[in-house]
Structure formats: C-alpha cells, structure tokens
Amino acid sequence: EVQLVESGGGLVRPGGSLRLSCAASGFTFDTYAMSWVRQAPGKGPEWVSAISRNGAASYYAESMEGQFTISRDNAKNTLYLQMNSLKSEDTAVYYCAKARNSDYRGGYDYWGQGTQVTVSS
C-alpha cells in the first residue's frame, strides 16, 4: 500500500532552518508529482510547494518562494522541503502528498501523517 512518512519537524527558533523529509513507498515514486501542504492550528490546509516527477520543475505558493526549497531524490524515493528564515506563522503540521498523476495541478490521493513544525523563541 501507499505510505508517506514525514520526518524532520520539531521546535526551531525564529530565523532558523529545518529540512523535512518524506519517505515514500508502495508506488512508483518517479512517475508522480508530489507536494507539501501545511495546516496551522485552527486553519485549513494550505498548499506550500510542488515538484514535477523528475524534479526538473518546482512550484511554490507566492508567500513561500525564496524561503522554502522543494527537492526530491528518486533513487531514494524521498521528497524534501528545505525551510529557511522560519517565522512563527510557519508553525503548522506539514504533510507530503502524492499527486494522482504527473500533473501537480491535479488531485492528490494520499497524504502522510504529518510532521509538526513549531517556530518559537
């Protein structure tokens, strides 16, 4: 079965950095676009970033471009999100999500369990 397991979250001070990882299994990883989505307390899901199946193209929510960097290592079936200059408003549960196909603008059929990122001094 499809499994997506996020890791790398934790408590970080404002201005700090974290790298999140998502270990994927149960599907042919390199044939699917992938995304990161986050959900802050009391808020709905917010799309963060997406990456094409071969990693050649990446896409970001406007407010996050330049701060976050998405990447993938298809040989390791792993998706990454490098987060820099973190602010308190970045506090959220971060999920990786599998697209239904190679188009990140299509629907997503699986999410991981999420990893908590807390930005606080």
Side-chain angles (χ1 to χ4, degrees), residues 1-2 15-16 22 27 32 35 72 80 90 100 110 119-120:
E1 74 279 14
V2 172
C22 172
F27 64 101
Y32 293 88
S35 280
R72 66 193 297 164
Y80 302 97
D90 296 317
R100 295 185 185 275
Y110 292 95
V119 184
S120 176

Side-chain angles (χ1 to χ4, degrees), residues 44-80:
E46 178 185 26
W47 176 74
V48 174
S49 183
I51 190 166
S52 62
R53 67 188 185 94
N54 63 0
S58 57
Y59 311 89
Y60 300 90
E62 185 176 358
S63 62
M64 297 150 199
E65 190 164 5
Q67 181 189 0
F68 294 174
T69 303
I70 192 170
S71 62
R72 66 193 297 164
D73 186 339
N74 286 345
K76 297 180 178 179
N77 289 344
T78 302
L79 178 73
Y80 302 97

